[in-house]
Amino acid sequence: MNRSVLASAVAITALAAGMASAQTLQEVQERGVLNCGVNTGLAGFAAPDANGEWEGFDVALCRAVAAAVLGDPSAVEFVSLTGKTRFTALAGGEIDMLSRNTTWTFTRDNDLKFEFTGINYYDGQGFLTRRDLGVSSATELDGATICIQTGTTTELNLADFFRANNMNYDPVPIETNAEALQQYNAGACDVYTTDASGLAASRATFENPNDHVILPEIISKEPLGPVVRHGDNEWGDIVRWTLNALIAAEEYGVTSANIDELAQGTDNPEVNRLLGTEGNFGEVLGLEPEWAVNAIKAEGNYGEIFERYIGESTPIGLARGLNAQWTDGGLMYSPPFR
Ligand SMILES: N[C@@H](CCC(=O)N[C@@H](CS)C(=O)NCC(=O)O)C(=O)O
């Protein structure tokens, strides 16, 4: 399906969902479950664990929103979606929010009529290839066979990069990360290209990760974040401020270990407003006073979630880099709880 056909399919479904979409909070509360769209399986970001329970960096955000809205981080129905199906599922009301390595772009925001409620991971597109091919730069990939996920920004950036560098490539279109890895490992493509975080996550699952290299070039900006439908600002605000609460909690030193104590009241008014002992921020959002306490208790603050699922001590081994707090030279920056 080309982009304009996809855009009109999404627009028609969005119209059909119509006014009903302005009631997401009420629907979630009545249902007692948050329908959260995630990917079909990407280690560290969203994948079922040994017991079939979904876990990961993107899953943790679904759980935080469920905890903020319903007081229960386990009240989530995870809907696994491919690069293509994620937007129709959101527009059609099958999910209440999307938390799936999704890049904030002009087209998705304005043409597909979605609302990005923040950025939970600053990423960029990279290239993975077998070390024995002896390639050390993406500018040496002329004529390469490249596995590429359809319905993604990856597809479009790749075309731009090769055109700008006057090179050709042979695309091998695939629908899911699992399919990409199968094709790549079977030698059907020389190169796999996607978000650099996705490459690190995929390489960590290989038998011999060191037989594969991630090339130095990052060819795009991929600001990844949670997405909701246009037109339901109250719901968008809840998702936006839940993410902000996790980010602010890290900045203020609110952790899973000390939150019960800090939620009794502290000397810091901003922490008190965040945790609901001063002000009425929960009420303003249509939630309980302890909405943010519940969100943070679900899986910890932003930094705890990052370290647990994708950080340097995990097999995925991602450095905080741009995703460090602004106070540590990164871009993670919550607007004030004031
Ligand atoms: N950020 C890009 C790419 C997102 C994407 O689909 N990434 C793949 C490769 S890391 C993924 O998450 N796959 C998981 C799956 O197949 O379900 C976008 O929004 O278009």
Side-chain angles (χ1 to χ4, degrees), residues 1-8 107-108 111-112 156:
M1 190 160 27
N2 71 29
R3 209 207 56 76
S4 63
V5 175
L6 175 66
S8 28
T107 311
R108 291 169 177 178
D111 192 11
L112 299 190
L156 310 171

Side-chain angles (χ1 to χ4, degrees), residues 10-289:
V10 169
I12 290 163
T13 333
L15 263 179
M19 297 307 288
S21 67
Q23 297 294 330
T24 312
L25 173 59
Q26 202 184 331
E27 281 171 22
V28 172
Q29 283 171 332
E30 282 169 10
R31 199 190 301 130
V33 166
L34 173 76
N35 293 333
C36 200
V38 292
N39 62 44
T40 59
L42 182 63
F45 285 88
D49 70 8
N51 302 317
E53 293 283 330
W54 283 90
E55 65 167 16
F57 181 79
D58 286 337
V59 164
L61 188 59
C62 303
R63 295 202 188 280
V65 172
V69 173
L70 301 166
D72 179 1
S74 68
V76 187
E77 176 80 34
F78 291 98
V79 180
S80 69
L81 299 165
T82 67
K84 266 190 196 165
T85 58
R86 60 185 153 173
F87 296 123
T88 36
L90 181 60
E94 193 190 330
I95 54 173
D96 306 306
M97 63 178 279
L98 178 68
S99 182
R100 183 202 177 281
N101 308 71
T102 295
T103 307
W104 188 350
T105 68
F106 180 98
T107 311
R108 291 169 177 178
D109 198 330
N110 301 299
D111 192 11
L112 299 190
K113 305 260 180 268
F114 293 125
E115 178 91 4
F116 284 79
T117 59
I119 296 171
N120 69 337
Y121 193 98
Y122 289 87
D123 210 341
Q125 183 173 336
F127 296 93
L128 176 78
T129 184
R130 274 178 294 281
R131 195 178 288 280
D132 61 14
L133 289 182
V135 174
S136 60
S137 160
T139 57
E140 296 164 22
L141 292 178
D142 194 13
T145 313
I146 305 188
C147 277
I148 177 122
Q149 212 158 321
T150 49
T152 60
T153 48
T154 322
E155 225 182 346
L156 310 171
N157 300 327
L158 185 70
D160 287 356
F161 177 77
F162 273 70
R163 194 173 71 180
N165 286 283
N166 215 0
M167 302 191 301
N168 292 310
Y169 63 100
D170 201 358
V172 179
I174 41 96
E175 298 251 336
T176 65
N177 197 50
E179 194 188 331
L181 298 185
Q182 195 185 12
Q183 296 283 10
Y184 175 82
N185 285 318
C189 48
D190 309 318
V191 179
Y192 180 33
T193 183
T194 184
D195 300 340
S197 65
L199 294 181
S202 297
R203 188 169 68 159
T205 66
F206 290 171
E207 213 168 303
N208 297 308
N210 272 330
D211 291 351
H212 306 267
V213 279
I214 294 176
L215 300 178
E217 287 84 3
I218 295 291
I219 65 162
S220 68
K221 287 188 290 187
E222 306 292 328
L224 311 178
V227 197
V228 297
R229 287 176 287 277
H230 256 181
D232 187 348
N233 293 18
E234 283 73 20
W235 179 246
D237 287 343
I238 288 170
V239 177
R240 171 177 298 109
W241 285 92
T242 301
L243 173 60
N244 286 337
L246 302 182
I247 295 170
E250 181 183 29
E251 181 185 341
Y252 303 143
V254 178
T255 68
S256 345
N258 64 18
I259 190 164
D260 283 330
E261 192 190 324
L262 298 180
Q264 305 299 313
T266 73
D267 295 337
N268 180 334
E270 191 146 16
V271 169
N272 294 347
R273 287 190 293 270
L274 170 68
L275 302 183
T277 53
E278 276 183 39
N280 64 340
F281 286 7
E283 190 187 337
V284 170
L285 286 173
L287 303 176
E288 298 295 325

